[in-house]
Amino acid sequence: MTNSHAARDIDTSRPHSARMYDYYLGGKDHFDVDKLAAETVASAYPGIFVCARENRAFMHRATRVLAREHGIRQWLDIGTGIPTEPNLHQVAQSVVPEARVVYADNDPLVLKYAERLMRSTTEGRTTYIEADVNDPQTLLDAPELAEVLDLGRPVALSLNALMHFVTDAQDPYGIVGRLLDVLPSGSALALSHCTPDFDPATWQKVTDIYNNAGTPVQFRSRADVTRFFEGLELLDPGVSVGHRWRPDAEPTATDAEVSLWTGVGIKP
């Protein structure tokens, strides 16, 4: 894994969702084409910055809850995105230093910065796999995954702001089901997903912007997001708007600003 390899593969001719998300979070690992597309989204939906921050905060809280209250010591994080501290393994290892995390993403720019994701505690372990959620079997067969995760013990599948980039034609529920099928009892799904429920007209504009930029999206209703958790035992408070899922402080943003359904379920 080298930076030169990643640099050769980075397409700067059109915006990429991971780099746009980096811009929403105030990062610096994006290009002008990503900034322009992200600002176009923000002009239609100014809440996108709040949504991105609340998505990140949900990931932190869900990771801590699974580590502290449910004995999870292993995570498979797909759609990792460009590293933004604290990364998932830093949150998990702050609670359980022995935590093991496998990150996966299909953006070469994420690969370029993957060394940030490899700075594990001595007790734990992390690795990064360049893989696509639309090809779950290749991801599951990756030798790096088997080296870090013991699939005989519970694993938390972390899918944050990812599945709205998988349209119904790509079988999103089948993909999540395939991933969960290989995980044992006691495993978990932590998922966040943007929604048009609170402002359909605005989110139609956002959909059009992404689609016109060459990134197909499908933002889903609460009922459709809840389907991802079929067969799992949802933790309280169920499928909730991101800032209302076990908040650390009284929420101040509106549901429309956040427009993000979140939930955590345990596999029986």
Side-chain angles (χ1 to χ4, degrees):
M1 180 175 66
T2 66
N3 287 356
S4 61
H5 166 74
R8 284 197 306 271
D9 294 334
I10 294 171
D11 179 4
T12 61
S13 67
R14 65 180 190 175
H16 190 286
S17 57
R19 302 192 300 258
M20 291 170 67
Y21 184 61
D22 175 76
Y23 178 82
Y24 300 145
L25 288 173
K28 301 185 183 303
D29 295 313
H30 53 264
F31 301 101
D32 287 344
V33 67
D34 308 302
K35 178 180 178 181
L36 179 60
E39 289 181 342
T40 303
V41 171
S43 68
Y45 167 43
I48 189 64
F49 302 102
V50 175
C51 176
R53 290 195 301 270
E54 291 298 340
N55 178 68
R56 196 80 188 164
F58 163 74
M59 182 272 283
H60 293 167
R61 297 195 304 275
T63 299
R64 289 194 296 265
V65 165
L66 289 171
R68 287 175 179 159
E69 301 177 19
H70 297 275
I72 297 291
R73 299 294 182 266
Q74 305 185 106
W75 278 260
L76 173 57
D77 181 70
I78 307 176
T80 300
I82 294 164
T84 303
E85 293 194 354
N87 294 296
L88 189 151
H89 74 279
Q90 294 169 310
V91 176
Q93 291 177 349
S94 71
V95 181
V96 283
E98 68 273 24
R100 292 175 166 243
V101 179
V102 170
Y103 293 106
D105 204 294
N106 68 338
D107 183 6
L109 189 64
V110 181
L111 174 65
K112 179 180 178 181
Y113 292 103
E115 68 271 10
R116 297 184 194 171
L117 303 173
M118 311 287 271
R119 298 171 186 166
S120 173
T121 59
T122 54
E123 302 96 325
R125 192 167 174 191
T126 67
T127 195
Y128 176 81
I129 301 171
E130 189 172 11
D132 192 326
V133 70
N134 290 297
D135 185 7
Q137 195 58 52
T138 296
L139 170 59
L140 294 171
D141 289 341
E144 299 94 334
L145 186 144
E147 290 170 5
V148 174
L149 301 184
D150 176 2
L151 297 186
R153 299 172 55 217
V155 175
L157 175 61
S158 181
L159 303 175
N160 289 294
L162 172 66
M163 296 310 295
H164 46 243
F165 294 110
V166 182
T167 66
D168 281 351
Q170 296 167 294
D171 191 22
Y173 302 106
I175 288 171
V176 174
R178 176 72 189 92
L179 293 165
L180 287 170
D181 281 348
V182 303
L183 304 182
S185 174
S187 293
L189 170 64
L191 180 143
S192 60
H193 196 299
C194 288
T195 182
D197 283 359
F198 303 102
D199 190 348
T202 290
W203 279 89
Q204 184 58 56
K205 294 177 185 176
V206 175
T207 299
D208 293 342
I209 292 167
Y210 273 96
N211 287 342
N212 291 336
T215 301
V217 291
Q218 186 164 350
F219 303 116
R220 296 182 171 91
S221 68
R222 185 178 186 275
D224 287 338
V225 173
T226 301
R227 278 187 61 194
F228 286 110
F229 295 94
E230 285 184 359
L232 305 181
E233 297 172 355
L234 274 167
L235 300 185
D236 288 337
V239 175
S240 308
V241 186
H243 61 326
R244 301 188 187 283
W245 196 93
R246 303 199 184 187
D248 294 325
E250 184 66 26
T252 57
T254 67
D255 290 354
E257 283 177 315
V258 178
S259 289
L260 186 78
W261 290 120
T262 61
V264 179
I266 304 296
K267 184 174 180 178

